[in-house]
Amino acid sequence: MMQGGSPIIVLNQNTKREHGRKVQLGNVNAAKTIADVIRTCLGPRAMLKMLMDPMGGIVMTNDGNAILREITVEHPAAKSMIEIARTQDEEVGDGTTSVIILAGEMLSIAGPFLGQQMHPTVIISALKQALEDLLDILKQKASVPIDINNKDEMMKIVRSCIGTKFVNKWSDLICSIALKAVSTVSLEEGGRKEIDIKRYAKVEKVPGGAIEDSEVLNGVMINKDVVHSKMKRRIENPRIVLLDCNLEYKKGESQTNIEITNETDFQKILLLEEEYIQTMCSDIIALKPDLLITEKGVSDLAQHYLVKAGITAIRRVRKSDNNRIARAVGAQIVNRTDELKEEDIGTECGLFEIKKIGDEYFTFLTQCKNPKACTILLRGASKDILNEVDRNLQDAMNVARNVMLDARLVPGGGAVEMEVAHLLNERAKGITGVHQWPYRSVCKALEVIPRTLIQNCGANTIRTITALRAKHATEGNLSWGIDGETGNIVDMKEFGIWEPYSVKAQTYKTAIETAILLLRIDDIVSGLKKKGDESGGGSAPGAGAAEV
């Protein structure tokens, strides 16, 4: 045996390398499986998935993120794939299906190279270089600027986002709702634009009526009624006070003991309570508001004083709803009644009224002068339909927000993927060495989007993709892509199918970076100790070993 048994060490290293390759191929297969589940959900001819939760509830949707949230998987690589859909949804709110399909394809192209004994590091460096070049091409050559003040253009962009969704039939209505809601909550401060649709554009789903009855309210709606039957239910130009405190006698912080020695002591305690509430109500009444909204409770005694003063009160409003009301009516939320000032009162609301829809009472604060918050009232036949319309509307609002924040567009229908793949292929000619092969295969992987669109509408895949490749080989055909309804090659400029640049850029970044991350994994270990291990540790070979 030469040099103290060195051949055994070599054998062990080879075994480890082989094991690492098996793990990487396993990750590739897991990612491809997840991508295959989602693939049929891309495009206007997308199929729906029926999801059943453990409680017996059913969801029918083609939203990639909604589907993956409900899927239960064991493989760690598959869990990572599901996580990227969530990341994409949180970051830009659209492109969740595309990012999964692309990430699966990026890993799929790495499979043959791993099988040919190419080191993962080589593949990773090629993917990194391809991502840099891809983003550069996307910004410089494949995107076009847009005027966000042109309403017709903005409608076309949002319509192309929901053209593949359930609400396609009501696309004009949903697009106008999304645009109005996003422009309402848009806020510009110090040259920086902030559009927070999650906090300030609330969707209220009320079953009943038709989808055509849905609207964006010029203010806020909450599911609340007045606290006392004698309070007014309709006030024009109300003065509104917003509170974050109880109009009740304050209870002891912890265990409170009171010793009563004679019968008059109890009367004194009750009197103190009454005086405390009366003082609080006097602070409010002094400002002569018409409407009081608080996040906490309002006691019967406080209601009595408020009714006498002609003030309407609404209690136990959510913190998030109160913040929206504050932005809509120009009021400040106050924590103590003795700190109330004239400037804290909201005067920008035109109409307060309470309406009964179905069995529920709803408070409407509408006709606001300059609301920076709004409520979207969705009507529909059933809860299932309303939930799907809500999911689609969120996508539409996210697209409108992305375009307003970064006013650049790329052509949809797989056109941008084909153009970027063609230009990337041209750059690949200048690359030498073994890196060029994984780099070139990224171009092939990008074609998965138009290819899936063709497959989902039943057209001839090979013939159509070859014709589209030839079209993009000629300069000036940037906007030619796939009509998702027929599978034919069409000009997206004429079709009016555009996508926000920020969504596409994020899709490519997330997909390729996830592929890189999963390719760097050469072993999967569990953090659980082997059965029979002692907690004492020590230097025993098996102590605390991770179980593979």
Side-chain angles (χ1 to χ4, degrees):
M1 207 168 175
M2 293 179 68
Q3 294 181 354
S6 57
I8 294 171
I9 295 166
V10 172
L11 182 68
N12 285 346
Q13 284 175 341
N14 286 339
T15 309
K16 279 182 182 176
R17 201 170 289 134
E18 194 56 43
H19 174 69
R21 193 163 281 113
K22 277 181 184 172
V23 169
Q24 283 148 355
L25 287 168
N27 289 347
V28 167
N29 289 331
K32 274 168 70 179
T33 305
I34 293 289
D36 288 340
V37 169
I38 295 296
R39 190 162 284 160
T40 55
C41 295
L42 188 73
R45 289 293 181 94
M47 307 301 279
L48 295 175
K49 305 283 180 203
M50 183 180 272
L51 310 169
M52 297 177 69
D53 63 29
M55 304 299 291
I58 291 171
V59 178
M60 287 170 284
T61 183
N62 67 348
D63 183 334
N65 186 43
I67 293 163
L68 292 172
R69 267 206 318 264
E70 300 295 331
I71 288 177
T72 307
V73 293
E74 291 300 323
H75 200 287
K79 284 181 181 173
S80 301
M81 290 288 283
I82 289 169
E83 194 57 41
I84 66 167
R86 195 170 294 137
T87 306
Q88 180 80 4
D89 190 57
E90 284 170 11
E91 192 64 29
V92 288
D94 194 26
T96 48
T97 307
S98 306
V99 78
I100 293 289
I101 294 169
L102 261 175
E105 196 65 16
M106 290 294 168
L107 282 162
S108 186
I109 55 148
F113 298 117
L114 291 169
Q116 291 160 15
Q117 310 293 309
M118 186 182 281
H119 199 279
T121 312
V122 177
I123 304 168
I124 287 165
S125 69
L127 288 177
K128 276 184 181 171
Q129 193 180 342
L131 177 60
E132 278 178 35
D133 293 349
L134 191 149
L135 292 172
D136 180 49
I137 290 167
L138 191 68
K139 187 153 198 176
Q140 305 301 332
K141 298 181 181 177
S143 62
V144 291
I146 182 181
D147 175 18
I148 58 171
N149 298 317
N150 185 335
K151 196 182 175 190
D152 291 340
E153 285 294 317
M154 292 293 285
M155 285 285 281
K156 277 183 191 173
I157 296 154
V158 181
R159 197 179 288 121
S160 69
C161 141
I162 59 171
T164 65
K165 308 283 184 185
F166 169 78
V167 292
N168 187 19
K169 188 180 167 187
W170 304 277
S171 59
D172 285 349
L173 173 71
I174 297 296
C175 292
S176 58
I177 285 175
L179 282 174
K180 189 179 174 188
V182 171
S183 54
T184 300
V185 301
S186 176
L187 196 67
E188 213 157 318
E189 283 179 355
R192 191 177 66 87
K193 196 177 255 189
E194 183 199 89
I195 305 173
D196 193 343
I197 53 177
K198 227 168 213 174
R199 282 195 193 144
Y200 299 115
K202 174 79 184 294
V203 177
E204 283 284 355
K205 297 172 287 209
V206 182
I211 288 177
E212 288 84 352
D213 300 334
S214 302
E215 59 176 327
V216 178
L217 300 171
N218 203 11
V220 179
M221 168 188 131
I222 51 174
N223 188 357
K224 290 283 172 188
D225 192 8
V226 292
V227 296
H228 194 285
S229 58
K230 287 189 179 173
M231 288 177 174
K232 292 178 196 165
R233 288 166 177 264
R234 190 178 192 279
I235 307 167
E236 289 184 11
N237 300 314
R239 286 165 58 81
I240 301 170
V241 166
L242 301 181
L243 294 178
D244 180 19
C245 60
N246 283 311
L247 289 183
E248 297 172 327
Y249 190 72
K250 196 171 181 182
K251 296 174 178 67
E253 291 294 324
S254 54
Q255 276 193 331
T256 310
N257 295 321
I258 297 172
E259 194 173 317
I260 296 173
T261 51
N262 56 45
E263 59 195 44
T264 56
D265 289 352
F266 192 61
Q267 291 299 323
K268 281 180 189 172
I269 292 163
L270 291 175
L271 200 64
L272 282 170
E273 280 193 23
E274 279 188 33
E275 282 174 7
Y276 177 76
I277 291 168
Q278 193 171 8
T279 309
M280 290 176 86
C281 291
S282 301
D283 293 336
I284 296 164
I285 293 162
L287 289 166
K288 296 179 182 165
D290 301 305
L291 177 63
L292 167 79
I293 297 173
T294 179
E295 292 171 31
K296 306 282 172 41
V298 178
S299 70
D300 291 349
L301 187 60
Q303 287 175 35
H304 165 72
Y305 289 127
L306 294 172
V307 168
K308 272 176 71 179
I311 299 169
T312 299
I314 291 170
R315 66 182 169 192
R316 296 201 174 91
V317 172
R318 283 198 198 109
K319 183 85 181 166
S320 55
D321 286 336
N322 217 15
N323 288 335
R324 260 193 302 281
I325 294 167
R327 281 239 311 209
V329 304
Q332 290 287 330
I333 299 171
V334 180
N335 296 74
R336 292 168 61 96
T337 54
D338 54 3
E339 289 176 1
L340 272 168
K341 299 188 290 291
E342 179 61 35
E343 53 264 35
D344 296 330
I345 290 180
T347 54
E348 291 181 13
C349 175
L351 178 66
F352 156 76
E353 64 179 332
I354 288 178
K355 291 182 188 172
K356 190 179 183 188
I357 305 174
D359 292 335
E360 303 271 341
Y361 284 97
F362 291 91
T363 298
F364 288 82
L365 294 160
T366 51
Q367 297 175 20
C368 298
K369 288 172 192 166
N370 184 26
K372 288 296 169 194
C374 67
T375 298
I376 299 157
L377 176 59
L378 284 186
R379 306 301 309 275
S382 70
K383 279 185 180 174
D384 289 334
I385 287 173
L386 281 173
N387 288 338
E388 185 62 8
V389 172
D390 181 21
R391 277 191 286 271
N392 298 167
L393 179 63
Q394 292 297 339
D395 286 351
M397 286 199 293
N398 280 310
V399 165
R401 182 199 64 186
N402 293 332
V403 174
M404 284 185 181
L405 290 174
D406 189 347
R408 295 185 76 80
L409 297 178
V410 296
V416 69
E417 279 81 14
M418 290 305 289
E419 184 67 16
V420 169
H422 167 67
L423 295 171
L424 208 59
N425 215 4
E426 292 298 311
R427 288 201 185 187
K429 291 172 183 174
I431 297 172
T432 54
V434 77
H435 287 77
Q436 63 180 301
W437 307 114
Y439 187 100
R440 281 176 192 274
S441 62
V442 171
C443 311
K444 195 99 172 74
L446 286 169
E447 292 179 4
V448 73
I449 300 292
R451 193 163 67 242
T452 304
L453 285 171
I454 298 163
Q455 284 167 352
N456 285 354
C457 56
N460 188 316
T461 310
I462 296 167
R463 194 178 297 162
T464 313
I465 207 87
T466 308
L468 187 59
R469 210 178 283 141
K471 199 85 176 167
H472 281 269
T474 312
E475 204 160 321
N477 287 337
L478 160 69
S479 57
W480 284 80
I482 302 295
D483 176 3
E485 294 283 353
T486 61
N488 297 329
I489 299 171
V490 291
D491 189 350
M492 291 296 147
K493 204 179 282 179
E494 287 176 17
F495 254 55
I497 306 291
W498 295 91
E499 294 184 55
Y501 160 78
S502 54
V503 173
K504 266 303 168 214
Q506 185 65 38
T507 302
Y508 296 153
K509 279 186 219 166
T510 310
I512 295 178
E513 283 171 7
T514 303
I516 289 169
L517 181 72
L518 291 177
L519 285 171
R520 291 180 78 151
I521 296 163
D522 72 343
D523 210 346
I524 297 172
V525 294
S526 153
L528 301 169
K529 287 185 177 181
K530 282 186 178 175
K531 283 179 185 174
D533 277 353
E534 294 296 324
S535 56
S539 58
E547 191 176 346
V548 179

